[in-house]
């Protein structure tokens, strides 16, 4: 049984209980982060902590914990659960006011709820999916306008994964006005020649922590990066495509709808970026 963290205490997972009035449960009024663990250490903890604060600020939510203490909780959960490779899930909601009301409760009387738990994923870095590459389908992006805030409002992304699954694919890329926004739980990229193309940051997409690191490593490796919108049609004619996220790192995409990219196997750029990303982020892990 896992040890989890709830509102200041460590406890066995079956003892962790949250109120039925919690606004995370009633209104998806909460934010989250997923941080990966490799070799028992945290990948890009700082980036996730900074984005968490940004999400909280955007929703006028107070942080129940300092960055230093948050790092300590992450480390203690990794230790207590013996995680070598896996993820830590963190969620903060606006708490449980004791009734249902659209108006935000007073944070003085309703403290936020904070939950962290581990997900053990042995073999995460050496994933066979990375050798094979993934298939994505395209679906319309009908999410709300603040996708830069990492909220727990994940119904549509979840439906998107189900649409992909039913179509025999691995994931879905979301399309708005013909342009790819991002994957259901990852950022989307195409490669044309030596150029890596990905949508620029705005309220339309989540500002991926893995994205920031990968683009930095790409530039350091003298690869060309272009941050601009690309259409789903351009993607289908690209030399390569890939996604990034804290749980998949860099993952090649070899098919988009019915269009097979290149030889239908991972190309040159995505596997190289995955290698560099893993090497560099393990070096910098805390
Ligand atoms: N998802 N875009 C969306 C919509 C996401 O949900 C995520 C992350 C990303 C990539 O961000 P990062 O590189 O910081 O993980 C982009 C996490 C992993 C999840 O929901 O499980």
């Amino acid at each position: 049984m896992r040890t989890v963290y709830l509102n200041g205490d460590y406890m066995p997972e079956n003892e962790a209980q949250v109120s039925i009035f919690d606004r995370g449960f009633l209104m998806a009024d909460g934010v989250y982060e997923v941080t990966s663990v490799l070799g028992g250490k945290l990948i890009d903890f700082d980036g996730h902590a900074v984005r968490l604060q940004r999400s909280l600020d955007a929703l006028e939510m107070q942080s129940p914990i300092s960055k230093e203490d948050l790092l300590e909780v992450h480390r203690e959960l990794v230790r207590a659960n013996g995680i070598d490779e896996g993820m830590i899930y963190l969620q903060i909601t606006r708490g449980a006011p004791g009734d249902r009301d659209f108006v935000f409760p007073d944070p003085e009387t309703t403290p936020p709820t904070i939950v962290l738990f581990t997900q053990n994923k042995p073999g995460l870095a050496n994933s066979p999916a990375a050798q094979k590459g993934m298939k994505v389908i395209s679906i319309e992006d009908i999410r709300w306008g603040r996708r830069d805030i990492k909220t727990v409002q994940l119904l549509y992304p979840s439906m998107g994964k189900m649409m992909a699954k039913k179509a025999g694919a691995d994931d879905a890329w979301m399309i708005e006005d013909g342009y790819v926004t991002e994957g259901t739980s990852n950022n989307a990229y195409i490669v044309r020649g030596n150029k890596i193309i990905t949508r620029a940051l705005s309220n339309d997409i989540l500002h991926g922590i893995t994205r920031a690191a990968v683009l930095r490593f790409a530039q350091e490796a003298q690869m060309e990066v272009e941050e601009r919108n690309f259409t789903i049609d351009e993607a289908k004619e690209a030399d390569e495509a890939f996604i990034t996220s804290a749980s998949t790192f860099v993952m090649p995409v070899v098919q988009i709808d019915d269009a097979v990219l290149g030889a239908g196997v991972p190309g040159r750029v995505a596997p190289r970026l995955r290698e560099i990303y893993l090497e560099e982020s393990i070096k910098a892990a805390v």
Side-chain angles (χ1 to χ4, degrees):
M1 194 185 302
R2 271 178 292 196
T3 298
V4 303
Y5 177 88
L6 171 63
N7 297 332
D9 297 312
Y10 296 94
M11 61 191 78
E13 62 184 53
N14 63 340
E15 285 175 22
Q17 293 188 353
V18 175
S19 164
I20 62 161
F21 298 114
D22 196 278
R23 288 179 61 95
F25 177 62
L26 294 180
M27 296 183 167
D29 187 359
V31 300
Y32 76 108
E33 283 294 332
V34 176
T35 303
S36 54
V37 178
L38 291 176
K41 288 185 167 180
L42 302 160
I43 303 297
D44 241 325
F45 173 80
D46 234 58
H48 289 283
V50 168
R51 185 175 61 191
L52 173 66
Q53 190 56 53
R54 185 181 179 279
S55 295
L56 291 168
D57 289 346
L59 298 178
E60 298 172 41
M61 222 186 269
Q62 292 186 353
S63 176
I65 192 167
S66 70
K67 193 168 147 192
E68 293 71 32
D69 289 346
L70 195 58
L71 175 58
E72 235 3 84
V73 174
H74 276 74
R75 283 178 164 159
E76 177 54 24
L77 286 180
V78 167
R79 196 201 57 73
N81 295 295
I83 306 293
D84 180 51
E85 291 196 2
M87 273 110 69
I88 302 195
Y89 178 83
L90 157 117
Q91 176 169 328
I92 299 175
T93 75
R94 208 183 300 273
D99 202 355
R100 180 175 181 268
D101 188 350
F102 283 82
V103 173
F104 293 173
D106 180 351
E108 292 301 318
T109 47
T110 304
T113 302
I114 175 167
V115 173
L116 285 95
F117 57 83
T118 54
Q119 293 189 284
N120 194 24
K121 303 266 178 193
L124 189 64
N126 269 320
S127 151
Q131 308 290 322
K132 208 168 132 240
M134 44 187 284
K135 293 180 186 175
V136 301
I137 57 165
S138 58
I139 61 173
E140 200 189 333
D141 196 339
I142 61 165
R143 296 173 301 160
W144 77 325
R146 289 303 305 274
R147 304 158 190 160
D148 57 312
I149 309 172
K150 199 164 172 58
T151 73
V152 297
Q153 198 188 307
L154 295 174
L155 182 55
Y156 189 64
S158 183
M159 290 169 75
K161 293 253 196 228
M162 289 311 296
M163 290 183 235
K165 198 173 161 184
K166 282 177 192 155
D170 304 294
D171 204 353
W173 278 13
M174 295 180 281
I175 316 296
E176 194 166 58
D177 302 326
Y179 293 99
V180 175
T181 53
E182 58 188 331
T184 57
S185 62
N186 43 69
N187 290 114
Y189 307 73
I190 58 171
V191 179
R192 297 189 67 176
N194 285 324
K195 219 178 272 172
I196 298 161
I197 301 161
T198 193
R199 195 177 175 106
L201 297 181
S202 70
N203 292 352
D204 298 340
I205 61 170
L206 187 75
H207 301 189
I209 302 307
T210 320
R211 177 190 183 280
V214 164
L215 293 188
R216 193 173 69 242
F217 297 143
Q219 271 153 348
E220 282 167 12
Q222 318 301 329
M223 297 178 187
E224 210 180 322
V225 173
E226 206 173 290
E227 292 181 71
R228 64 158 171 89
N229 284 5
F230 59 89
T231 63
I232 187 68
D233 293 332
E234 183 180 5
K236 287 178 185 177
E237 297 193 339
D239 299 319
E240 288 182 48
F242 62 93
I243 59 160
T244 66
S245 78
S247 50
T248 60
F249 312 119
V250 177
M251 190 65 75
V253 168
V254 295
Q255 188 174 331
I256 304 171
D257 293 325
D258 291 329
V260 175
L261 305 189
V265 291
R268 195 173 41 84
V269 174
R272 177 73 191 122
L273 272 177
R274 181 179 177 88
E275 207 172 81
I276 298 174
Y277 175 79
L278 286 172
E279 194 180 303
E280 294 298 323
S281 23
I282 289 169
K283 252 193 258 169
V286 299

